[in-house]
Amino acid sequence: MEEDVKDIYCKKPGEAMGLALKEAQAAAKAGEVPVGAVIIDSQTGKVLARAHNRVERDNDPTAHAEVLAIRSLSKQQKNARLKDCDLYVTLEPCPMCATAISFARIRRVYYGAYDPKGGGVDHGPCIYEHDTCHHRPEVYGGLSEEACAALLKSFFQERR
Amino acid sequence: MEEDVKDIYCKKPGEAMGLALKEAQAAAKAGEVPVGAVIIDSQTGKVLARAHNRVERDNDPTAHAEVLAIRSLSKQQKNARLKDCDLYVTLEPCPMCATAISFARIRRVYYGAYDPKGGGVDHGPCIYEHDTCHHRPEVYGGLSEEACAALLKSFFQERR
């Protein structure tokens, strides 16, 4: 985890996405593609992990926000399967992250902006639609879509 | 890297797959699903990274052999893109690993056993067949297929 999140509870999906957006803003500040993710306990709303894209800083092509949050929490819980956890992420997960989310047995995925060019949940390989996918989370796309998309848009506009 | 591989060169694909098989055997010994991976410099044949599945040991659902080898090498090279590298893995990559391989810009993937139940290259979501995949490695499946499949088969038979 990037910082101590032990005492934060989210009562509504919008609150958790707000934290994910804060992570995404921190990514942008650090020159990383602004995507942030948060994992909460679905029963209590407790924030268990949060992370943002660190591909550049870590020199790691797998260091997407979702993978980092999952990796951090599974180590913390000493369990590769994260039962009763929901994941919030500001951008539609790519196929790598969508699969990692399935492996981690995440219960629900809430995502912000749709990603027709690189998404793997509702676009491209649509990871959860195949018989070979052994765990399908419930998926809710488009939560705080405008704010999430605006952050990505301005990041890429500044870089052109 | 699991050990010093600075002085190993592979002249033929079978040699590199032999090293990947050794990694897979080490995984089996450690109680992990026996999959091993090796990355070599496609120009010189030099072994640059090797790894095996560590999902249980690391409590990390993303700790597949391919991801670990890529992560290790990209850190070593201080570059998230691994130019002119070929990856050898004993089992058809899952969708997560197939996508990580694409992100890392791996030139060629040689894999051993086919995986109709969980593979993501020639089965299930067929990651490289979508327009949203921005880098497609050349893929060669079925290299040392029998030895790779036999190792997996005996591992799962012992556990039933």
Side-chain angles (χ1 to χ4, degrees):
Chain A
M1 274 181 292
E2 295 301 285
E3 55 184 289
D4 193 1
V5 289
K6 276 187 181 122
D7 296 310
I8 303 178
Y9 288 81
C10 294
K11 285 177 187 161
K12 293 178 184 171
E15 289 175 36
M17 190 59 90
L19 289 179
L21 258 165
K22 275 192 185 171
E23 286 292 325
Q25 283 157 351
K29 239 185 183 174
E32 304 273 359
V33 174
V35 180
V38 165
I39 301 176
I40 69 160
D41 181 319
S42 65
Q43 305 302 309
T44 65
K46 192 176 177 181
V47 175
L48 301 172
R50 52 187 190 179
H52 59 72
N53 216 340
R54 286 205 315 254
V55 169
E56 303 301 327
R57 194 190 88 176
D58 291 2
N59 290 306
D60 179 354
T62 73
H64 286 193
E66 303 94 308
V67 160
L68 294 175
I70 287 171
R71 215 187 276 165
S72 155
L73 185 57
S74 55
K75 277 185 193 177
Q76 201 192 121
Q77 297 198 342
K78 296 196 170 78
N79 196 335
R81 297 183 178 201
L82 305 173
K83 233 185 132 190
D84 296 324
C85 286
D86 295 342
L87 185 143
Y88 293 77
V89 57
T90 57
L91 181 65
E92 179 185 344
C94 77
M96 175 182 74
C97 292
T99 309
I101 286 166
S102 171
F103 288 158
R105 303 292 190 273
I106 295 286
R107 189 188 70 140
R108 280 188 190 164
V109 176
Y110 294 84
Y111 73 80
Y114 294 91
D115 188 4
K117 287 185 185 170
V121 172
D122 291 314
H123 295 94
C126 297
I127 291 298
Y128 305 136
E129 289 179 15
H130 300 268
D131 291 342
T132 48
C133 178
H134 305 301
H135 170 83
R136 292 175 179 77
E138 292 172 37
V139 175
Y140 302 86
L143 178 66
S144 310
E145 183 188 355
E146 273 184 43
C148 295
L151 190 60
L152 282 154
K153 200 177 165 188
S154 76
F155 178 83
F156 285 112
Q157 269 174 346
E158 276 171 26
R159 260 149 190 81
R160 246 168 234 151
Chain B
M1 275 180 290
E2 296 299 286
E3 54 183 291
D4 193 0
V5 291
K6 277 188 181 124
D7 297 308
I8 302 178
Y9 287 81
C10 295
K11 285 177 187 162
K12 293 176 183 172
E15 288 176 36
M17 190 58 89
L19 289 178
L21 259 165
K22 275 192 185 171
E23 286 292 326
Q25 284 157 351
K29 241 186 181 169
E32 303 274 359
V33 174
V35 180
V38 166
I39 301 176
I40 69 162
D41 181 319
S42 67
Q43 306 301 310
T44 64
K46 192 175 176 181
V47 176
L48 302 172
R50 53 187 189 178
H52 59 72
N53 216 339
R54 284 202 318 253
V55 169
E56 303 300 328
R57 194 189 88 176
D58 291 2
N59 289 306
D60 179 354
T62 73
H64 286 194
E66 302 94 309
V67 161
L68 294 175
I70 286 170
R71 218 187 274 166
S72 155
L73 185 58
S74 55
K75 275 184 195 178
Q76 202 192 118
Q77 296 197 345
K78 296 196 171 80
N79 196 334
R81 298 185 176 198
L82 304 173
K83 231 186 133 190
D84 295 325
C85 286
D86 295 341
L87 184 143
Y88 293 75
V89 57
T90 57
L91 181 66
E92 179 185 344
C94 76
M96 174 183 75
C97 292
T99 308
I101 286 165
S102 171
F103 288 157
R105 303 292 190 271
I106 295 285
R107 189 189 71 141
R108 280 187 190 164
V109 177
Y110 294 84
Y111 72 81
Y114 294 91
D115 187 4
K117 287 184 186 170
V121 173
D122 291 313
H123 295 93
C126 297
I127 291 297
Y128 305 135
E129 288 178 16
H130 299 269
D131 290 342
T132 48
C133 177
H134 305 300
H135 169 83
R136 292 174 178 78
E138 291 173 37
V139 175
Y140 302 86
L143 179 65
S144 310
E145 183 188 357
E146 275 184 41
C148 295
L151 190 60
L152 283 153
K153 201 178 165 186
S154 75
F155 178 83
F156 285 113
Q157 270 174 346
E158 276 170 26
R159 257 148 191 83
R160 246 167 234 152

